[in-house]
Amino acid sequence: MFKEKIMVEVILAVAFLSFLAFSDAFPLANMIGVNYGRLGNNLPSQYESIEHMKNMKAGRVKLYDANPEILRLLSGTNLHVSIMVPNDQISIVAANQSAANQWVRDNVLSYYPNTMIRYILVGNEVLSNKDDQSLWYDLVPAMRNIKKSIDEHRIHNIKIGTPLAMDMLQTSFPPSSGEFRLDIPRNSLLIPLLRFLNWTKSYFFIDVYPYFSWSQNPSSISLDFALFKGTQIYKDPLSGYVYTNLLDQMLDSVIFAMEKLGFYNIRLAIAETGWPNGGDYDQIGANIYNAATYNRNLVRRLTSQPPIGTPARPGSTIPTFIFSLYDENQKEGPGTERHWGLLQPNGKAIYDIDLTGEISESELSKLPVPKNNGPFHGKLWCVLAKDIVNEKDLGQALEFACKRDGICDELSPEKSCYQPVSIVAHANYAFSSYWAKFRKDGETCHFNGLAVQTTLDPSHGSCKFPYVSL
């Protein structure tokens, strides 16, 4: 009888440990994942991408949709999966329970449990869009409807959340002053959202990028502080907490903002973080060395045993998704937008990283020495990227640039830049002219991926190209 009792206890213990190993509460489960964005026309297949993630020892993968093929390919892997209700489907799901039930049937039940879906994220940075505030009020009802559908199928290990950006804070420094934006309604939106997360024991998912905070204030924030290099400390004058890195400051500002509304126990998860491995000349600190330093130190910190947490939440574990798996060449905006990847489009690592935290500091010595950790000073032109020869795309970009008054005046037959008469030469001039005139209005040297910045003056003969001077 005694032996039988011992055997039962052993079986129960093993079963309990097995359960914990696949739960978010158990530290043996790898806390580090990757964001699998697909805004590129040169990316590896979905099968190859999943193999890359497995080789990198990722513990999680976050999708920006619920792609059927990817979810099928993830079946049988040990990757914990986060899927997303895209922003354009939130109102439909919020409108009635039947729509939410259908979404869950199509995107969860068709794959679960063989595909280890662990998070359903409703929308992406919804509260950052101030132009469509009607969507704000559909957010929590959509989350509730998805949760109700999941519960009806007795699925208890999937958490429902929504990724929000740091711009939802009115103040974030010092961390103890953290407060949500005043234009976000407290009683009708913020409190219902936090109450839902608290009730369901879910996470407050935050997109947090020390790179942006540092690069916008490099004179007041140390680069080492942003890169976890521990050469600087900051003591919050109100809380007394001591900070050794910028990420902890940013995370704690969110915690203080929640506490000001009466929520003290909602866990944090990092939906996106990372550092750009490259960018334009006018974007400081975007280089491989800094990206490798940030992500390696991030992984080492978040996978430490016992967990470190943050000063406001010591010892807490923080599920984290690094942005992103690949450089994505079709993303709009400044050059950094296309250079957050851990991998090149051919699948080769941009720098060595082990998502379990096992990597030597000596590896950093093999990386290129950064040359853009300070502001760029000089002249910049915007010209056609190498090997771009698609005349249809070039023609459309040229037409777009030349629609603005005066941009292409020098390309007229009687003007100095008419020769040579080629679409490439004319595009080079049009790109530089357009960017030089409208950069101050937020325009970038991109043109749907056709253009890049250069320090080489493309002027020829009497044709002088406009430029940006920094």
Side-chain angles (χ1 to χ4, degrees):
M1 185 69 179
F2 179 74
K3 289 183 179 180
E4 290 176 352
K5 182 180 179 182
I6 294 295
M7 183 60 68
V8 170
E9 290 177 349
V10 169
I11 292 172
L12 289 174
V14 170
F16 180 64
L17 289 173
S18 297
F19 164 75
L20 287 178
F22 289 99
S23 75
D24 291 322
F26 196 62
L28 292 181
N30 190 350
M31 302 301 289
I32 308 297
V34 292
N35 284 273
Y36 180 16
R38 308 192 303 280
L39 293 177
N41 59 11
N42 56 354
L43 301 181
S45 71
Q46 295 160 349
Y47 171 80
E48 292 173 301
S49 298
I50 293 170
E51 290 301 305
H52 290 323
M53 286 184 259
K54 289 158 64 176
N55 292 335
M56 294 165 63
K57 302 179 183 178
R60 306 164 188 266
V61 56
K62 175 167 158 274
L63 309 178
Y64 290 89
D65 53 20
N67 182 276
E69 181 61 21
I70 296 176
L71 291 177
R72 279 193 291 269
L73 289 169
L74 285 166
S75 176
T77 70
N78 289 325
L79 286 162
H80 288 196
V81 181
S82 173
I83 60 177
M84 184 174 287
V85 179
N87 288 8
D88 60 6
Q89 296 180 31
I90 291 176
S91 296
I92 298 171
V93 170
N96 60 76
Q97 189 61 50
S98 296
N101 293 344
Q102 186 63 51
W103 195 93
V104 168
R105 280 195 297 270
D106 292 344
N107 300 293
V108 179
L109 301 182
S110 297
Y111 312 101
Y112 180 89
N114 291 334
T115 297
M116 296 171 60
I117 299 171
R118 291 293 180 266
Y119 310 108
I120 300 174
L121 301 182
V122 179
N124 192 44
E125 299 186 350
V126 171
L127 300 183
S128 296
N129 185 0
K130 299 181 181 181
D131 296 328
D132 187 11
Q133 295 189 14
S134 63
L135 191 62
W136 293 7
Y137 297 95
D138 288 334
L139 181 59
V140 177
M143 295 170 71
R144 287 177 182 148
N145 285 349
I146 292 291
K147 174 63 176 171
K148 183 177 180 181
S149 183
I150 291 293
D151 286 347
E152 287 178 353
H153 294 283
R154 299 182 180 180
I155 300 173
H156 303 300
N157 61 348
I158 294 181
K159 298 299 183 184
I160 316 297
T162 184
L164 299 169
M166 286 296 295
D167 65 3
M168 72 171 304
L169 294 185
Q170 184 79 21
T171 57
S172 60
F173 184 82
S176 58
S177 71
E179 183 179 8
F180 292 117
R181 278 200 339 253
L182 300 179
D183 65 310
I184 304 175
R186 265 36 176 184
N187 294 331
S188 58
L189 206 166
L190 271 176
I191 290 178
L193 172 61
L194 295 174
R195 187 177 291 133
F196 174 88
L197 298 177
N198 190 56
W199 165 62
T200 61
K201 294 181 171 56
S202 187
Y203 296 88
F204 190 106
F205 285 87
I206 186 73
D207 295 347
V208 52
Y209 288 100
Y211 168 74
F212 291 124
S213 295
W214 167 77
S215 63
Q216 292 163 10
N217 302 280
S219 60
S220 57
I221 300 175
S222 161
L223 177 59
D224 283 355
F225 194 67
L227 295 175
F228 303 96
K229 296 183 80 169
T231 58
Q232 177 185 352
I233 63 170
Y234 170 79
K235 185 175 182 179
D236 189 307
L238 299 178
S239 69
Y241 292 145
V242 174
Y243 293 88
T244 61
N245 66 83
L246 183 55
L247 179 71
D248 281 356
Q249 281 191 351
M250 298 171 77
L251 293 176
D252 275 1
S253 68
V254 177
I255 290 171
F256 277 105
M258 289 193 289
E259 290 182 350
K260 284 182 174 64
L261 295 180
F263 295 88
Y264 295 88
N265 299 309
I266 298 175
R267 297 174 293 176
L268 286 184
I270 299 176
E272 291 182 9
T273 192
W275 196 282
N277 62 63
D280 296 327
Y281 284 94
D282 54 350
Q283 294 176 293
I284 68 170
N287 55 64
I288 291 175
Y289 186 94
N290 290 347
T293 302
Y294 177 83
N295 283 327
R296 288 173 181 175
N297 287 337
L298 170 81
V299 171
R300 187 178 294 113
R301 182 175 181 83
L302 293 178
T303 58
S304 64
Q305 293 294 334
I308 297 174
T310 70
R313 293 270 183 88
S316 62
T317 57
I318 307 174
T320 297
F321 297 88
I322 293 177
F323 188 87
S324 60
L325 183 59
Y326 297 115
D327 279 354
E328 299 171 68
N329 67 353
Q330 291 184 317
K331 294 199 70 175
E332 296 290 335
T336 52
E337 287 298 305
R338 294 172 287 284
H339 293 282
W340 291 86
L342 299 174
L343 304 179
Q344 298 174 9
N346 62 9
K348 183 178 178 181
I350 295 174
Y351 49 86
D352 290 333
I353 186 169
D354 185 325
L355 298 183
T356 65
E358 299 293 331
I359 194 155
S360 169
E361 271 300 316
S362 64
E363 293 294 325
L364 281 174
S365 64
K366 303 176 184 178
L367 297 174
V369 176
K371 298 180 180 179
N372 65 337
N373 283 346
F376 174 84
H377 297 290
K379 298 177 181 179
L380 292 172
W381 291 264
C382 181
V383 298
L384 187 67
K386 292 181 179 179
D387 304 322
I388 300 292
V389 293
N390 187 315
E391 291 198 1
K392 180 181 178 182
D393 291 343
L394 271 182
Q396 292 174 345
L398 181 59
E399 181 181 1
F400 167 81
C402 290
K403 281 182 178 179
R404 304 291 286 266
D405 290 343
I407 294 299
C408 296
D409 284 356
E410 291 300 314
L411 297 177
S412 300
E414 70 279 7
K415 298 290 186 176
S416 61
C417 295
Y418 179 65
Q419 297 287 345
V421 184
S422 78
I423 191 170
V424 170
H426 283 198
N428 280 340
Y429 180 87
F431 292 168
S432 278
S433 179
Y434 184 93
W435 185 54
K437 186 167 184 177
F438 297 111
R439 178 182 178 274
K440 64 180 182 297
D441 299 325
E443 294 289 351
T444 61
C445 175
H446 184 228
F447 294 94
N448 293 325
L450 299 176
V452 295
Q453 294 180 15
T454 181
T455 57
L456 300 177
D457 187 353
S459 300
H460 51 87
S462 60
C463 176
K464 303 301 180 185
F465 277 51
Y467 58 84
V468 169
S469 182
L470 299 177

